[in-house]
Structures are given as C-alpha cells and as structure tokens.
Amino acid sequence: MLLQLTLPPAVPRDAPLLVAYSGGADSRLLLSLAKSHGDAHGIPVYAAHLHHGIRGAEADRDLAFCRRTADELEIPLFEKQVDVPALSQASGRGLEQEAREQRYLFFREIMTTHQLPVLLTAHHADDQLETLLHRLLRGTGTHGMGGIPEVRPLAYGLAVRPLLHLTKAEILEACREQGLDYVTDHTNEEPFTLRNRLRQEIIPAMEDMTGQGIPQQSALRLSRAAREDDDCLSALAAAEGEKCRTDTGLSIPALRLRHPAIAKRILAAAYQSAVTEAYGSPPDSEHTLTAVHLESLMSFCDQGENGSSMDLPLVTATLHKSVLSFRREEFVQSSPPTLLYEGDTLWDNGRMLIRLSREALPPPEQGRLIAAAVFPAHKLPLPLLARPREAGDIILNHGMHKKLKKLLCDKGIPRHLRDRLPLICFGEEMHPLWYPTVAFADGFPPPIREAALYMHIIDLQGDLISEIFPVD
C-alpha cells in the first residue's frame, strides 16, 4: 500500500505541521507520512505528546517510545504531563472529556507559542463510524451525523485529519508494510465503555454482514452529505434567527412561523449563545443539545404556559409573555452527607426515610415507596452515605461517565424534586452509586443472598410519589 500525506486546500502549502502523537499505530503512521511530506516540500514537522497521568507505567512507556521515535526521525517533540483524574474531579467533567480538554489546551499552548497554525490528528474511518453510531445511540440530528470533519477551524489554527479516509485495518497493514513500531493502549480493549463495545462487537458484526471496510466508507459518505445539508440549513437559520430575536430572548410566534428544521437550529444557536454568556465559553461536546432535547424544547415552545420553565444542560429555558429565554441554573447549597446504617435514616427534615437492612423488609406503613435497590455488600466499599446532588456530579452508567444533571434532564425529573431525592454514595471519597429512579453505577455484580444490602427510599408525606410516578 503506497501512502502519502494529502492535505486539503484549506491548509497553506508552506505551513509547518504539528502532529498529535500518542505513539499508537494511527499517530505513528501519521508522523511517518508527515515527516516524508515535510522532507519533500521543505516544511518543518513537530510532534506533541501529552501524558494524562491515568495509566501509570503504561503511560510512562508510551512517553519513552514517543521520545525515541521522534529522535530517530529528527522531529522536535513537545511533551507535558498532567493529572487528569485530579483535574476531572475538580472540574466535574468525566475522565474522557477532561483528557480531551487537556489535550487541546496543550495543543493550543504549543501552536500559539511557536506559531504553528496546523494540527494533524490521526482520526480514521473507524473513528468516524464509531462517532456516528455513538451519536445515533445518544440521540442526534443532522448536525451530529456530520461526524468528524476533515478540517475543523480552531481559535488558533486548523485541526486536520489526513487519515480519515483509511480504515483501522488499512492503517495496521501500512504499519506492517513500512516496519513501523507502535504502542497499544490496553484500556481500548476493556469492554466497559460504549465506544469500546462498538469497536469490538458492533463494527465487526457490521463488517461480517457487508464486507470489510464497507460500513466505514458508508459512514464517510453519510457524514459528508449530512455536513453539506447542515451547513446550508444553518446558514438559513442564522438569517431567520435574527427575525425571531427580541431584547429578552426569542419570539415564540415568530419561531412558530419557521420550518421545524430551521426553528430547531435557531433554538440550538440561542442555547449556545446563552451558555457562552453564562459560563464564558461555549458548551463542550458533553453539553450540546441532542435531538431529544430539541424535540422537547420545540414542544415546550408550543405547549408551555406563561411562567413555566424547562431544564436543559447548564441552563434553564423559561417562557414569559411569548418570549423564550435562557438562564444559568443555580444549585441549592449542599448539606453535609448522612451516614447510612442498618435501620431507619431520616432525610430532608423528616420528609423522607431511607431504610437499609440485611433482609428484604417491606416498607413501613407510613409513607409511600419511591424506589428500592439491592446492593452487593461483599463488593461494596463502605461506608454508604446519602447527600443532595451537587454541581458536577458524575456517575459511570452504561459504560459512560455521565453528568447526573444531564441524566435528570433526559429522564424528565422535575427540577423542584431533584434536590429532595438523595444521591447514595460509597467509600470515603463518596463516589456516586445510585440516584433513585434515574441511574445505578456500573461495575457491581448481582449480590449473593448471604451478602446483600436492601435499601428503600420512602416518601413520608406522600407528595413525591404522585409527581415521580402516577398513583392509581
């Protein structure tokens, strides 16, 4: 397989190139191709490696490998080490999101300091297919199905993906043919995250049905078509959005006159502007509105009453005199956690009871049962605690680190109930384990009969059950 680096017309011909270099097969091939391209055209090539502080000795090995190969190719290597787990805990972002955030902060620092306008990343056709499947499962629209673009403008340059047309199998074959060594991140082989399961189970099954590489090429065609359509509709929405804007928000009567494809884009743009104004930066990929959010927001605009509100990631939408506006959500002041013990624990000034026992006891006669769970005590690091939710709470659920607030929005738990339900945590670090009616953390096998803890959440005043679940 004869490969050479081909850059899109948007990249200046004489621009120096910075390669995001992890040491894996994808970035190893990209670095080799960039080096050949640079030598042939007299263009300087640099590499950047970020040690995330997550995988211990394996990450140290990766850094040593990147140093060695960069020296062999006579390519300057920028390197940095950060503590992503600590930064994730401080920011409230999931590990994956925090790692990505730190990588691009690192790239930005290098590109602005050394005047390097072009960043090359090793995203490939399998990454594109994984992204489309992942977004499809989350709930996405045309914009999301645009997937990973070949060129993405950054505030400080361009991010370019020259390998986007190659499958993972083709990249591995090219590495074999060229005798390129690389390292392997073994966390990519663990079947715990959704992306890994897509990579290990779903995509191979798709190739078995259609042929090797065919699902990837189909995904590339779909993403290109979706981006073209979305670019056209977004341009129309930008012009129409100005006609809907008022001093305080968006005019609902004016919004109703627009086609739903245009109206949804006007809403998405207004949400992005509101988040940027409230937090000083636009929403990250974890907090962009999904198709489900936009459908709910459209229904809210059509059916919501004056003075009503709707929770969205990061902000709350409010209707007032036929105008839709967004405001930043404020969390209630957190109270100290309650240590749970076998017996009855009151919660929320006596309005709620948490019953924890070694036997599957029925709830007491007073109050109404809201939710129940069985915990594998033999696998659970004690103590168990209950506390109100807090800004930035994250729970590992269905293979993904998810914001609790987003889960609450997606499940439709009314805002005024969210701080009245307890978040059950475990261990000295108070890791989120269970939020009643919403999510249970991954990683806990079914309990055995001899080592189980039974928990009931009981509404003592009987006013929550009718709001969370219908009562006959």
Side-chain angles (χ1 to χ4, degrees):
M1 182 186 304
L2 181 61
L3 294 176
Q4 61 181 10
L5 190 71
T6 302
L7 298 176
V11 178
R13 291 189 176 184
D14 58 348
L17 306 175
L18 177 66
V19 178
Y21 186 38
S22 69
D26 317 326
S27 64
R28 179 65 185 89
L29 177 62
L30 178 58
L31 189 69
S32 179
L33 295 176
K35 170 64 174 174
S36 299
H37 179 85
D39 289 346
H41 296 86
I43 296 172
V45 176
Y46 303 84
H49 179 87
L50 184 67
H51 186 305
H52 296 91
I54 297 177
R55 294 181 294 118
E58 188 175 89
D60 296 336
R61 175 211 65 183
D62 295 353
L63 175 56
F65 174 83
C66 291
R67 287 172 177 167
R68 186 176 72 252
T69 52
D71 285 343
E72 291 171 356
L73 293 172
E74 298 182 341
I75 292 176
L77 176 69
F78 300 101
E79 61 179 75
K80 183 178 182 180
Q81 183 166 352
V82 295
D83 187 347
V84 165
L87 292 167
S88 171
Q89 186 174 12
S91 69
R93 289 186 284 260
L95 276 180
E96 300 91 340
Q97 180 64 25
E98 186 63 44
R100 184 183 186 279
E101 185 77 13
Q102 293 302 317
R103 282 196 300 276
Y104 277 89
L105 286 174
F106 177 46
F107 298 148
R108 177 173 188 165
E109 177 185 341
I110 297 169
M111 294 170 75
T112 54
T113 301
H114 299 277
Q115 297 183 338
L116 304 178
V118 181
L119 171 68
L120 304 184
T121 68
H123 293 89
H124 48 76
D126 286 64
D127 291 327
Q128 185 73 288
L129 178 55
E130 287 173 23
T131 297
L132 297 192
L133 291 173
H134 189 271
R135 292 180 179 178
L136 179 65
L137 294 175
R138 273 188 67 201
T140 190
T142 310
H143 180 77
M145 294 310 286
I148 305 170
E150 184 182 14
V151 179
R152 181 167 73 93
L154 305 171
Y156 41 91
L158 295 174
V160 183
R161 287 76 182 233
L163 306 185
L164 205 54
H165 64 290
L166 296 176
T167 65
K168 181 71 173 186
E170 290 171 330
I171 288 173
L172 293 175
E173 178 61 26
C175 287
R176 284 191 291 269
E177 289 181 357
Q178 298 183 29
L180 302 179
D181 293 332
Y182 52 87
V183 294
T184 301
D185 180 353
H186 288 95
T187 61
N188 291 332
E189 301 171 4
E190 296 173 350
F192 300 125
T193 68
L194 178 57
R195 273 194 176 273
N196 284 3
R197 294 194 65 186
L198 290 172
R199 184 181 305 126
Q200 297 168 15
E201 302 173 25
I202 305 303
I203 293 177
M206 295 173 72
E207 289 189 305
D208 284 344
M209 289 184 284
T210 62
Q212 189 175 37
I214 291 178
Q216 292 87 335
Q217 296 306 317
S218 298
L220 290 175
R221 287 194 297 273
L222 172 61
S223 63
R224 281 195 294 267
R227 279 197 302 276
E228 289 174 357
D229 290 352
D230 186 61
D231 288 346
C232 177
L233 290 171
S234 295
L236 291 172
E240 292 297 306
E242 291 300 321
K243 302 174 185 177
C244 300
R245 206 171 310 281
T246 72
D247 292 339
T248 56
L250 293 175
S251 166
I252 298 301
L255 197 64
R256 287 174 178 157
L257 295 176
R258 271 67 198 176
H259 188 282
I262 299 298
K264 289 176 184 177
R265 284 168 171 79
I266 294 173
L267 290 171
Y271 166 81
Q272 179 161 329
S273 297
V275 171
T276 302
E277 181 178 351
Y279 293 90
S281 61
D284 55 29
S285 58
E286 193 175 345
H287 294 100
T288 54
L289 296 187
T290 65
V292 174
H293 288 130
L294 289 171
E295 288 288 352
S296 298
L297 195 52
M298 288 284 286
S299 297
F300 178 66
C301 291
D302 284 338
Q303 303 170 15
E305 299 178 355
N306 184 43
S308 60
S309 62
M310 171 186 172
D311 285 329
L312 295 167
L314 300 176
V315 296
T316 299
T318 303
L319 286 177
H320 181 66
K321 295 183 178 179
S322 297
V323 172
L324 177 73
S325 60
F326 301 92
R327 59 180 174 80
R328 179 171 178 168
E329 180 182 10
E330 300 296 335
F331 281 78
V332 298
Q333 186 69 28
S334 180
S335 59
T338 299
L339 183 65
L340 302 180
Y341 53 89
E342 291 184 43
D344 294 340
T345 300
L346 289 177
W347 173 262
D348 192 17
N349 296 324
R351 298 182 64 134
M352 199 162 307
L353 188 73
I354 301 174
R355 168 162 279 181
L356 183 67
S357 66
R358 297 279 173 174
E359 299 179 4
L361 299 174
E365 294 182 3
Q366 72 271 24
R368 304 290 297 274
L369 178 66
I370 294 177
V374 184
F375 299 93
H378 63 300
K379 293 288 186 180
L380 195 63
L382 298 177
L384 279 177
L385 305 102
R387 64 168 174 82
R389 70 186 184 109
E390 297 175 352
D393 275 332
I394 291 173
I395 188 167
L396 179 62
N397 182 249
H398 294 161
M400 297 175 61
H401 287 91
K402 298 180 180 179
K403 286 287 186 67
L404 178 58
K405 180 177 186 303
K406 184 177 185 303
L407 289 171
L408 291 167
C409 291
D410 293 345
K411 294 285 187 178
I413 303 298
R415 183 182 176 189
H416 65 282
L417 298 183
R418 298 179 187 184
D419 298 307
R420 293 176 58 191
L421 289 169
L423 175 62
I424 307 301
C425 304
F426 68 90
E428 299 294 340
E429 300 297 323
M430 291 195 295
H431 300 290
L433 174 66
W434 180 48
Y435 189 92
T437 78
V438 175
F440 194 92
D442 293 347
F444 296 95
I448 59 177
R449 181 177 300 177
E450 294 77 15
L453 287 173
Y454 296 85
M455 183 177 293
H456 296 90
I457 310 294
I458 299 144
D459 175 19
L460 293 177
Q461 295 191 353
D463 60 346
L464 286 185
I465 185 67
S466 60
E467 296 188 72
I468 299 177
F469 302 110
V471 178
D472 295 331

